[in-house]
Amino acid sequence: EIYYNEVQKLMFELSIWRADPTLKQRAIDANDRVMTKYGWDADSVVEERKQRNYPEFWRPLPLSEPYRVVLSELRDKLYETKDALQHNLAGKYSDAEIISDSKDLLEPLIMCYESLCNTGDKCIAKQHLLDLIRQINCFGMSLIRLDVRQESGRHADVMDCITQYLGLGSYKEWPEEKKIEWLVRELQGKRPLIPFDLPMSAEVKEVLDTMATICQLKHECHDSLGAYVISMSTAASDVLAVLLLMLENGTRDTPP
């Protein structure tokens, strides 16, 4: 919401027509993407933007205002990102194209900054626009990173639930060497480990649901995640268990 409002302010400020060739081309491409999305129907663009309660700049902007054209596309993406996150919080999936990385947010802003500097408007570039770029560099997309903490014994409970269901015995009764051997083998494997019909306690379900949420956030807004803290960790298996649970709950990439 903060970045959305800041971009809206920049649209009011940057009515300048002077721009370098790179930004002019970016404005042409941005305009083409927006108009193609709405079937080159300007009225459809206006209707959609009014429904979003934009305070101004409903109509497709002329290419003689390249900064506003570029920022208008960024405003749309920020709105769609905010809307998608609200849907996810309500348990609804959104297939909208969202900004999940601060680099995607910074790229058009830096392009505007460089264009202003290249065309003799450095004094304008170093005001509100530069402040916003610095803010994003410092705080990322989410403004603050979320640390997650869980006690190592809760992860062991999940592993024990899985191994007993699979007929492998009690994970918690295994020696450390056997735990590491099994965890490494599962990490290197390609088949799913957790059965879809795994009977589980509320505590085990809570851990698995937390892992699934972490993996979802990693894909949709990975800047929002900080450290995963394993309390009461005393052995290598405590760390490997967390790694395996993260990989099994939605991603085969390196977890946060």
Side-chain angles (χ1 to χ4, degrees), residues 1-12 55 75 78 82 128 132:
E1 185 73 34
I2 292 175
Y3 293 149
Y4 167 81
N5 290 333
E6 293 302 310
V7 168
Q8 182 72 46
K9 292 177 184 177
L10 282 174
M11 289 181 67
F12 279 99
R75 177 184 64 173
L78 283 168
K82 180 179 66 172
H128 184 199
L132 180 56

Side-chain angles (χ1 to χ4, degrees), residues 32-77:
D32 287 348
R33 283 191 292 269
V34 170
M35 295 308 296
T36 299
K37 179 180 178 180
Y38 292 96
W40 292 88
D41 183 359
D43 291 337
S44 296
V45 178
V46 173
E47 183 179 352
E48 175 67 22
R49 289 177 174 174
K50 284 185 176 181
Q51 288 179 356
R52 294 180 176 185
N53 292 318
Y54 289 172
E56 190 52 89
F57 306 116
W58 301 316
R59 287 200 164 274
L61 291 154
L63 294 177
S64 59
E65 299 177 2
Y67 296 95
R68 284 178 168 172
V69 174
V70 172
L71 292 171
S72 177
E73 183 185 36
L74 182 58
R75 177 184 64 173
D76 288 342
K77 288 183 179 180

Side-chain angles (χ1 to χ4, degrees), residues 154-218:
R154 297 288 297 276
H155 306 130
D157 290 340
V158 177
M159 291 298 151
D160 193 74
C161 177
I162 294 171
T163 58
Q164 292 208 46
Y165 179 79
L166 296 176
L168 301 176
S170 174
Y171 174 87
K172 291 193 288 188
E173 295 178 1
W174 292 353
E176 177 66 10
E177 294 77 12
K178 184 175 180 179
K179 289 179 180 178
I180 292 175
E181 179 185 357
W182 181 75
L183 291 167
V184 170
R185 185 170 64 250
E186 292 299 329
L187 283 166
Q188 294 173 340
K190 296 183 179 180
R191 64 173 176 79
L193 171 65
I194 304 174
F196 72 92
D197 57 347
L198 176 70
M200 64 186 76
S201 64
E203 291 77 12
V204 169
K205 185 177 186 302
E206 180 188 34
V207 174
L208 293 177
D209 288 347
T210 299
M211 293 294 178
T213 300
I214 289 172
C215 291
Q216 182 181 7
L217 282 173
K218 182 175 182 291

Side-chain angles (χ1 to χ4, degrees), residues 211-235:
M211 293 294 178
T213 300
I214 289 172
C215 291
Q216 182 181 7
L217 282 173
K218 182 175 182 291
H219 285 298
E220 295 178 356
C221 190
H222 65 80
D223 280 353
S224 64
L225 293 173
Y228 189 95
V229 182
I230 309 170
S231 302
M232 304 300 291
S233 177
T234 60

Side-chain angles (χ1 to χ4, degrees), residues 107-119:
E107 190 255 344
L109 296 175
I110 291 175
M111 190 176 292
C112 288
Y113 176 84
E114 291 176 345
S115 176
L116 288 167
C117 292
N118 292 337
T119 54

